[in-house]
Amino acid sequence: AQTVTQSQPEMSVQEAETVTLSCTYDTSESDYYLFWYKQPPSRQMILVIRQEAYKQQNATENRFSVNFQKAAKSFSLKISDSQLGDAAMYFCALTGANSKLTFGKGITLSVRP
Amino acid sequence: DTGVSQDPRHKITKRGQNVTFRCDPISEHNRLYWYRQTLGQGPEFLTYFQNEAQLEKSRLLSDRFSAERPKGSFSTLEIQRTEQGDSAMYLCASSPIRQGWQETQYFGPGTRLLVL
């Protein structure tokens, strides 16, 4: 069975500052993929960033980057230069050969102007 | 807009009634997934299709739930004899297939169900 744990229910960041959202996971598979999804209030879920487990290099997408620590089964998301539009619920998710996503409980990020 | 669409966006029903939701995936995507999300929680997998074949069903999907994808395009999710515990957001996602590679799933806006 796969599990994803997001232990921080809420975080807050000042606009233009950097914030890191934590995620740990467990899987018995050797090939798997990790994702961060963003779900703004009353809006649909969109992909922020993905990481293939076989890649050692951490994924980056503009202001978003991950710190993937495979041995520790840790997958944190760093948001640089935070913007008001970054306020949302963020979900860490994992998938393996069975294709279904396993999500964490999510973290609510608020951005202070 | 060629994203995943879902209909209706909101549904209020009385306990014991049947409801049906529709999902239209991105046109070239072979895989279609259903998830359920309750308030303050992450989505939970319900079932998925590859073309018209239903490949996996979660134990969360009781006998009152049935999903179809008859022509490998749109899908329907039906809940019979609804219960208050069925109140949730029902999310649909789709993805293409690439051999040996896990494609990203793209989500629709969801159908929010309230059972009174």
Side-chain angles (χ1 to χ4, degrees):
Chain A
Q2 299 174 334
T3 60
V4 176
T5 303
Q6 295 180 255
S7 55
Q8 305 157 303
E10 297 179 354
M11 285 197 77
S12 180
V13 63
Q14 190 75 35
E15 195 176 4
E17 297 294 308
T18 295
V19 64
T20 298
L21 311 182
S22 301
C23 172
T24 58
Y25 64 91
D26 195 18
T27 179
S28 56
E29 299 193 43
S30 55
D31 289 332
Y32 56 90
Y33 301 77
L34 294 158
F35 304 83
W36 278 97
Y37 280 90
K38 171 185 177 182
Q39 189 175 41
S42 301
R43 295 181 61 185
Q44 69 195 78
M45 196 166 316
I46 58 174
L47 177 71
V48 175
I49 198 165
R50 65 178 275 159
Q51 174 81 42
E52 292 76 28
Y54 64 85
K55 288 188 177 178
Q56 292 185 343
Q57 187 173 5
N58 289 326
T60 62
E61 285 289 341
N62 301 313
R63 297 183 297 108
F64 299 89
S65 62
V66 299
N67 184 5
F68 174 46
Q69 300 290 326
K70 192 172 183 178
K73 295 185 176 176
S74 169
F75 182 61
S76 60
L77 174 69
K78 185 171 82 171
I79 306 174
S80 304
D81 185 26
S82 297
Q83 301 175 358
L84 295 177
D86 294 333
M89 198 148 185
Y90 286 81
F91 292 97
C92 178
L94 164 71
T95 189
N98 59 16
S99 299
K100 61 186 182 185
L101 284 167
T102 300
F103 286 85
K105 288 188 175 182
I107 178 170
T108 301
L109 177 68
S110 58
V111 181
R112 304 185 302 275
Chain B
D1 182 37
T2 57
V4 178
S5 61
Q6 292 186 246
D7 184 70
R9 296 290 305 278
H10 303 272
K11 179 70 177 179
I12 300 174
T13 191
K14 292 183 179 179
R15 186 163 50 99
Q17 297 294 305
N18 298 343
V19 294
T20 299
F21 310 142
R22 175 178 171 129
C23 171
D24 287 87
I26 294 170
S27 60
E28 64 270 24
H29 285 186
N30 305 93
R31 286 190 173 161
L32 187 149
Y33 306 80
W34 285 99
Y35 294 85
R36 180 170 67 189
Q37 184 179 19
T38 53
L39 202 60
Q41 301 294 318
E44 294 174 296
F45 170 80
L46 292 178
T47 188
Y48 89 97
F49 293 84
Q50 182 165 306
N51 300 313
E52 62 274 9
Q54 188 172 18
L55 295 188
E56 187 171 346
K57 289 168 47 172
S58 164
R59 283 171 290 181
L60 292 175
L61 215 63
S62 76
D63 292 344
R64 298 184 297 106
F65 287 71
S66 62
E68 294 183 342
R69 194 182 183 197
K71 297 181 180 179
S73 56
F74 72 92
S75 175
T76 57
L77 178 67
E78 181 183 16
I79 309 174
Q80 296 182 328
R81 305 181 302 282
T82 52
E83 301 172 357
Q84 288 182 326
D86 297 331
S87 296
M89 175 78 86
Y90 290 84
L91 296 170
C92 176
S94 71
S95 72
I97 299 172
R98 185 147 52 118
Q99 190 68 29
W101 179 260
Q102 181 58 54
E103 292 287 349
T104 296
Q105 294 179 29
Y106 295 89
F107 283 81
T111 295
R112 186 171 293 283
L113 173 66
L114 178 60
V115 181
L116 301 176

